[in-house]
Amino acid sequence: MESLSQMRSSGAARPEIVQMPDWLRRPIGRASELSTVQKIIKQRQIHTICEEGRCPNRSECYANKTASFLLMGPTCTRSCAFCQVDKGHAPMPLDPEEPQKVAESVKLLGLKYVVLTSVARDDLPDQGAGWFVATMTAIRSVSPDTQIELLTPDFWGGHNSVENQRQRLAMVVDARPACFNHNMETVERLQDPVRRGAKYRRSLEVLRYVKELDASIPTKSGLMLGHGETEDELVQAMKDLRAVGCDRITLGQYMRPSLAHLPVQRYWTPDEFDHLGTIAHDLGFSQVRSGPLVRSSYHAGEE
């Protein structure tokens, strides 16, 4: 895929930029909620995906005593073309104090529901699975009533990838998260340009295997709209998720983080999101969040 600078130097036409509609513009929220969380995480040199991904809902989530922590540093070993998270250079060594720092932050903020996610760490022997478990253990030691949802990468890589992936997933499932989330991100046809390094069927297998390990743990996935997918493709992706027992789904609008990222092909309207949400309910998802500003962790702690 050519970058914008390459297009300009070669004389190629600039890609058309679709203007952002009014329904995606929202106030930043109360500065007090943002500054409290930002101060605590900066003091401890930890990260949240709320800040790294510039989530439009972060002040609302902070006010509702929920937050999503980004584990294992801010640099990803993969290079998905939609993602705001830093990439393209070597990740930093793990901070051995990070699990405890996250736990302290959870307690100080009085969080009732926490989402733990991470960058992909293909450089680590267990892809970071053990780090999720260590952080869950640390949180539970100081805040036992806090519910913990995981939003994980696919833990794929290394020799005997399938066997090793299953061992990593088993380690995480044994820690019994309140919900296990792994995002499909987009429809099958668009996986390669959007999710570099990930595979559609591989992600379905992650969700299927979690259910096989422990059917009582709710599983969840998310789809971004706006990359050029059709309604039929979205419905098929939802059917594929239900076929592997996925319980919950989020549907939200892709918003281009910068000119270095994939351009938005289309802005789906709020009515279209409502329509897709109805389809998701009809397909049997027990929890559906569907709207332009919905993100993976939006209202995650609510039934």
Side-chain angles (χ1 to χ4, degrees), residues 273-303:
F273 275 102
D274 288 344
H275 171 64
L276 290 167
T278 298
I279 292 173
H281 278 295
D282 291 344
L283 287 172
F285 287 99
S286 61
Q287 184 190 84
V288 177
R289 303 281 183 259
S290 182
L293 288 169
V294 166
R295 297 296 180 262
S296 298
S297 305
Y298 189 61
H299 289 195
E302 299 177 9
E303 294 297 328

Side-chain angles (χ1 to χ4, degrees), residues 7 26 36 57 62 120 180 206 215-216 226 243 250 261 283 291 303:
M7 290 179 183
R26 65 177 300 175
T36 299
N57 306 310
Y62 296 162
F180 183 98
V206 167
S216 70
T250 57
H261 294 80
L283 287 172
E303 294 297 328

Side-chain angles (χ1 to χ4, degrees), residues 39-57:
K39 180 179 179 181
I40 287 173
I41 64 175
K42 286 179 180 177
Q43 284 176 339
R44 286 159 179 77
Q45 295 183 305
I46 57 178
H47 306 273
T48 66
I49 194 62
C50 320
E51 301 299 327
E52 300 294 331
R54 299 179 187 177
C55 178
N57 306 310

Side-chain angles (χ1 to χ4, degrees), residues 81-92:
F82 67 89
C83 186
Q84 174 73 29
V85 173
D86 190 22
K87 48 190 170 285
H89 52 89
M92 295 174 62

Side-chain angles (χ1 to χ4, degrees), residues 28-290:
I28 192 170
R30 286 165 48 181
S32 59
E33 276 128 14
L34 286 170
S35 63
T36 299
V37 177
Q38 289 167 343
K39 180 179 179 181
I40 287 173
I41 64 175
K42 286 179 180 177
Q43 284 176 339
R44 286 159 179 77
Q45 295 183 305
I46 57 178
H47 306 273
T48 66
I49 194 62
C50 320
E51 301 299 327
E52 300 294 331
R54 299 179 187 177
C55 178
N57 306 310
R58 59 192 186 276
S59 63
E60 179 183 351
C61 292
Y62 296 162
N64 290 331
K65 300 297 183 183
T66 64
S68 300
F69 290 90
L70 182 68
L71 304 181
M72 295 178 264
T75 304
C76 190
T77 56
R78 299 187 186 177
S79 56
C80 293
F82 67 89
C83 186
Q84 174 73 29
V85 173
D86 190 22
K87 48 190 170 285
H89 52 89
M92 295 174 62
L94 296 179
D95 174 3
E97 297 181 359
E98 184 183 50
Q100 193 58 42
K101 289 177 179 178
V102 171
E104 290 171 1
S105 300
V106 169
K107 185 176 181 179
L108 282 171
L109 293 167
L111 299 179
K112 299 180 295 183
Y113 198 93
V114 172
V115 178
L116 300 180
T117 188
S118 78
V119 293
R121 289 298 301 258
D122 299 303
D123 58 312
L124 299 176
D126 70 351
Q127 310 285 302
W131 208 250
F132 277 97
V133 176
T135 308
M136 293 174 71
T137 301
I139 292 171
R140 287 168 174 164
S141 71
V142 299
S143 187
D145 294 330
T146 299
Q147 295 289 297
I148 306 171
E149 176 176 317
L150 302 184
L151 171 54
T152 78
D154 59 22
F155 298 130
W156 180 268
H159 185 61
N160 293 328
S161 292
V162 173
E163 180 181 347
N164 286 333
Q165 181 193 48
R166 291 189 170 199
Q167 290 175 355
R168 295 159 188 158
L169 287 169
M171 185 190 313
V172 170
V173 170
D174 283 346
R176 295 199 53 79
C179 180
F180 183 98
N181 186 357
H182 175 68
N183 282 339
M184 298 288 292
E185 306 295 5
T186 190
V187 300
E188 186 169 16
R189 175 176 59 86
L190 297 172
Q191 291 285 309
D192 286 346
V194 175
R195 292 178 81 205
R196 300 167 188 163
K199 300 293 181 184
Y200 186 82
R201 297 294 163 183
R202 185 190 301 164
S203 287
L204 287 173
E205 277 300 297
V206 167
L207 294 162
R208 185 196 64 77
Y209 191 59
V210 169
K211 274 298 184 188
E212 184 177 311
L213 289 167
D214 190 337
S216 70
I217 295 177
T219 51
K220 178 179 173 183
S221 194
L223 296 168
M224 295 178 298
L225 280 62
H227 290 296
E229 67 287 326
T230 67
E231 180 178 318
D232 286 345
E233 288 177 314
L234 288 166
V235 173
Q236 185 59 55
M238 289 192 278
K239 288 179 177 178
D240 290 342
L241 286 167
R242 288 296 297 136
V244 296
C246 186
D247 302 293
R248 303 175 181 179
I249 193 168
T250 57
L251 302 168
Q253 173 68 51
Y254 168 63
M255 295 166 67
R256 190 183 197 183
S258 77
L259 291 178
H261 294 80
L262 286 174
V264 177
Q265 300 296 323
R266 176 187 171 189
Y267 288 107
W268 292 66
T269 68
D271 285 345
E272 288 173 319
F273 275 102
D274 288 344
H275 171 64
L276 290 167
T278 298
I279 292 173
H281 278 295
D282 291 344
L283 287 172
F285 287 99
S286 61
Q287 184 190 84
V288 177
R289 303 281 183 259
S290 182

